[in-house]
Amino acid sequence: MLRDDAAPPSEEAGVELLPVRMLNEFAYCPRLFYLMHVEGRWEDNEFTLEGREAHRRVDRTDQLLPDPDHTEGASDDGDDEPVVVRSVSLGSLGLGLTAKLDLVEAAGDAAVPVDTKRGRVPQNPDRSWEPERVQLMAQGLLLREHGYRCDTGILYFAGSRSRVTIPLTASLEQRTHELIQQAREVARTRAIPPPLDDSPKCNGCSLAGICLPDETLALKRPDASSARSGGSDESSEAEGVAVRRFFPPRVHAMPLYIQEQGARVGKRGERLIISKENVVLSEARLKDISQVVLMGNVSVTAQCLHLLCESGIPVVHLSTGHWFYGTTTGITLRNAYDRAAQYAAAGDPVRALTLAKAIVLGKGLNQRTLLGRNVRPRPVLTLKEMSMYLSRVPSAATRDELLGLEGATAAKYFSRFAELLRPRDFEAELDFEGRNRRPPTDPVNALLSFGYAVLVKECTVALLAEGLDPWWGIYHQPRHGRPALALDLMEEFRPLIVDSSVISAINTGMVTGKSFQRTAAACALTPQGRKNYLRAYEGRMDELVTHPVFEYRCSWRTVVRLQARLLARWLRGDIPDYVPIRTR
């Protein structure tokens, strides 16, 4: 049953009833039940869309269940004429259940619930699965509570247009009561139930990409200890364990960047219209957009903003100088547990230091790998010095000590960074002597600063999607206007995404000397230079890579979102350690 549930009729009494649909999900998988019922997560797949279509007719009009003594149309010498009612809302304080039944066939004081399923009749002895029978039994219990005799139920399988009669037996009733009790106990806890282990159920579950069953189990196994410690460069930490990928390798929708000063974003149906002075500059379909990035003096109409919020598409605000100002979003996840866990971790010195070490180690190792892989002759001494600093990270006793080690590693990295560059028409090697900013004074730093600003908004959006507070950091300390947790998340990705895309943009000639405006005090990208770099950045984000831990292919943008999800799971204690992404 894949449809919205009835509003609990006892809300005024302060009693929370369990939707019968959720009882079905609990019988299928307690973790799925928790994600849907407690955390409010949802994702469509082909099966849920088919299920929605199968319920289209029964959902058309809500009807009321007649009284059990209803005798309309009955004859004196025959059976009562059955009454068929659809989309019937029922609730019971005694049972603690609420439901919207697809269809009820009532005759006299007897009623039969009919539940529609999207697929074909299962080829097993019962011609049905337990979650379906439990759901039907719960509907039968509700009908009994409302005065009906209810001894059987019917499952209607739309795929094979077949009805299967299910006897509502005492044993099925007992099993249903047991599951109701178990579901209530799980709903009261803050701990996410463990995932199913290598279960075929996950293959058709629309929430498998959110649940991450195989990834969670892989990170819990003892052979993942090397990954958790950030030590070995040996083959996959999840070696020998096939990790299934339950989400697309690439995200179809892409960010929409708008940097034309004075432009206005409006809507026409399901399309965004970018115009300036009544001249349409471009259009984009809503389904192709993952986020709208406004750079500087760009306005959005109220109607367009409503559409974006309703569609769950965030609007990201950057200044003309590339400062990240914030985001405008609709109602995001209302799961308070993740944020409570985040604030608790930030206030726990031991957990905060543990995460900070992982962040610093992940970033430093990726910087070292980038240099070692691309600088020739191999900078042996620099790599050795970076390794020396990084080897001290696990034993660092304070955040200040970590900051020192991070800074020392970064200084060594940027001292050789120019050797990665082969500019076509400007002397990057002479210009770049290390990191500078606010404002950057050379082309390479201008590119790096812009790239980091774009990456931090990507991390902010990813954290918001997981229900976390991007402004309350754990390694980076909270400060007004600074997305501290987004900065925590982006550290491991700086060399992998931004530094790599800057190198690519320069070495391939996507940006040239004409891409910059320079004075003695500062250097900034021109509008065309920003556009050219964004092509390099988005190309990198869309590039498929083999995940270093899970060994499946996905894009860098997907990896960023996956890491945000895993960070939330570490905060909740669902996985033992947060493992930063490391290239080999």
Side-chain angles (χ1 to χ4, degrees):
M1 185 170 171
L2 299 164
R3 42 208 298 264
D4 294 332
D5 294 283
S10 66
E11 281 184 342
E12 291 181 0
V15 178
E16 185 175 351
L17 302 184
L18 181 68
V20 167
R21 176 170 67 101
M22 291 300 154
L23 189 60
N24 178 318
E25 310 298 1
F26 183 81
Y28 187 83
C29 170
R31 189 174 171 94
L32 171 65
F33 160 82
Y34 193 91
L35 290 172
M36 289 181 65
H37 183 60
V38 179
E39 300 204 346
R41 305 300 295 261
W42 180 249
E43 191 82 28
D44 271 320
N45 66 6
E46 58 179 311
F47 303 124
T48 63
L49 294 175
E50 285 178 11
R52 194 170 298 146
E53 177 61 22
H55 284 87
R56 186 170 51 85
R57 184 183 174 202
V58 295
D59 283 341
R60 195 169 297 163
T61 305
D62 290 355
Q63 296 180 324
L64 297 178
L65 184 70
D67 292 335
D69 59 348
H70 179 76
T71 57
E72 183 179 347
S75 60
D76 295 336
D77 55 353
D79 295 333
D80 295 316
E81 180 179 343
V83 175
V84 175
V85 288
R86 303 176 189 278
S87 199
V88 179
S89 295
L90 293 178
S92 166
L93 287 173
L95 293 169
L97 294 175
T98 181
K100 180 177 280 189
L101 282 64
D102 289 344
L103 187 148
V104 177
E105 296 175 347
D109 64 347
V112 177
V114 181
D115 200 45
T116 301
K117 300 300 176 187
R118 63 158 191 87
R120 304 180 68 84
V121 177
Q123 298 301 307
N124 61 28
D126 294 316
R127 304 185 71 209
S128 61
W129 302 109
E130 186 191 47
E132 299 163 345
R133 296 193 295 273
V134 167
Q135 182 177 359
L136 205 58
M137 182 72 241
Q139 293 179 0
L141 291 174
L142 283 171
L143 288 169
R144 290 176 186 173
E145 279 281 298
H146 286 76
Y148 277 100
R149 284 187 300 106
C150 187
D151 302 323
T152 60
I154 292 175
L155 293 172
Y156 173 71
F157 291 90
S160 53
R161 302 174 67 87
S162 305
R163 291 163 67 105
V164 175
T165 300
I166 305 295
L168 304 184
T169 62
S171 60
L172 180 58
E173 180 178 349
Q174 181 181 351
R175 173 64 175 159
T176 301
H177 281 299
E178 291 172 356
L179 290 173
I180 292 172
Q181 182 61 30
Q182 292 172 18
R184 291 200 165 283
E185 291 172 0
V186 169
R188 284 194 289 266
T189 68
R190 292 194 178 190
I192 307 173
L196 302 178
D197 192 351
D198 197 27
S199 171
K201 291 181 178 179
C202 302
N203 296 325
C205 177
S206 69
L207 265 63
I210 296 173
C211 167
L212 302 176
D214 290 9
E215 293 88 340
T216 301
L217 292 172
L219 292 174
K220 286 182 173 179
R221 290 189 177 103
D223 58 4
S225 59
S226 62
R228 296 199 290 268
S229 66
S232 169
D233 279 338
E234 299 298 326
S235 58
S236 170
E237 289 81 357
E239 187 176 9
V241 180
V243 177
R244 298 167 292 177
R245 175 173 51 73
F246 290 110
F247 45 83
R250 280 194 173 97
V251 180
H252 167 72
M254 301 287 287
L256 173 65
Y257 294 92
I258 305 166
Q259 63 166 337
E260 179 66 30
Q261 301 305 293
R264 178 173 177 270
V265 186
K267 82 172 189 71
R268 184 184 303 144
E270 294 289 309
R271 301 178 73 86
L272 298 194
I273 310 297
I274 298 97
S275 61
K276 182 178 181 180
E277 298 174 351
N278 297 323
V279 176
V280 174
L281 303 179
S282 65
E283 300 182 9
R285 295 183 301 179
L286 194 66
K287 66 179 184 180
D288 295 332
I289 300 171
S290 63
Q291 53 188 268
V292 176
V293 185
L294 309 180
M295 307 171 76
N297 180 26
V298 181
S299 61
V300 187
T301 67
Q303 295 86 347
C304 181
L305 206 54
H306 293 170
L307 178 65
L308 292 169
C309 288
E310 184 181 4
S311 305
I313 298 175
V315 180
V316 180
H317 304 273
L318 298 180
S319 71
T320 50
H322 319 146
W323 282 95
F324 174 53
Y325 281 166
T327 60
T328 301
T329 63
I331 300 172
T332 56
L333 282 179
R334 285 161 281 188
N335 171 22
Y337 289 164
D338 281 352
R339 292 201 177 196
Q342 174 188 348
Y343 300 141
D348 182 338
V350 175
R351 292 199 77 196
L353 188 62
T354 299
L355 180 66
K357 289 177 181 178
I359 290 171
V360 171
L361 199 57
K363 174 186 173 184
L365 288 170
N366 288 332
Q367 289 175 327
R368 185 183 181 281
T369 299
L370 192 63
L371 280 188
R373 185 184 293 171
N374 297 291
V375 172
R376 293 292 178 272
R378 188 176 171 82
V380 176
L381 180 59
T382 301
L383 297 178
K384 186 176 180 181
E385 291 173 322
M386 293 177 73
S387 294
M388 184 265 293
Y389 292 130
L390 294 173
S391 68
R392 292 165 53 188
V393 168
S395 59
T398 65
R399 176 177 169 274
D400 287 343
E401 187 179 352
L402 270 182
L403 286 171
L405 293 171
E406 180 191 10
T409 306
K412 291 296 177 185
Y413 168 69
F414 283 112
S415 72
R416 307 299 296 268
F417 189 79
E419 298 176 48
L420 299 168
L421 307 173
R422 297 169 186 80
R424 302 286 177 91
D425 68 344
F426 65 94
E427 297 296 331
E429 292 179 5
L430 296 178
D431 287 332
F432 185 78
E433 296 178 349
R435 281 290 287 142
N436 60 67
R437 50 185 181 160
R438 300 179 188 177
T441 58
D442 59 81
V444 178
N445 274 298
L447 282 168
L448 289 173
S449 293
F450 180 55
Y452 295 147
V454 177
L455 180 59
V456 78
K457 65 88 181 164
E458 191 80 36
C459 293
T460 300
V461 170
L463 293 169
L464 285 171
E466 294 305 314
L468 295 173
D469 180 353
W471 309 99
W472 198 266
I474 296 177
Y475 176 43
H476 290 84
Q477 297 302 291
R479 192 176 69 200
H480 179 71
R482 181 167 77 165
L485 191 68
L487 293 172
D488 286 349
L489 179 62
M490 76 177 281
E491 289 295 350
E492 65 200 81
F493 293 108
R494 285 178 185 258
L496 300 176
I497 294 176
V498 175
D499 298 2
S500 294
S501 60
V502 166
I503 294 167
S504 175
I506 292 175
N507 292 356
T508 60
M510 295 176 74
V511 296
T512 66
K514 296 179 181 177
S515 303
F516 303 93
Q517 297 172 317
R518 303 185 67 175
T519 66
C523 177
L525 281 156
T526 64
Q528 187 59 45
R530 279 197 296 271
K531 186 179 294 186
N532 291 346
Y533 170 71
L534 285 173
R535 282 173 44 218
Y537 174 87
E538 287 300 329
R540 181 65 174 171
M541 291 294 280
D542 198 44
E543 185 178 320
L544 287 180
V545 295
T546 300
H547 195 286
V549 177
F550 305 132
E551 299 253 318
Y552 49 53
R553 301 278 287 172
C554 54
S555 70
W556 279 114
R557 177 170 281 110
T558 301
V559 174
V560 171
R561 297 179 181 187
L562 180 60
Q563 287 298 97
R565 189 159 295 163
L566 291 173
L567 176 59
R569 295 294 166 77
W570 174 77
L571 291 168
R572 292 285 298 280
D574 193 41
I575 56 176
D577 297 285
Y578 175 74
V579 181
I581 290 296
R582 287 176 41 202
T583 53
R584 299 170 190 157

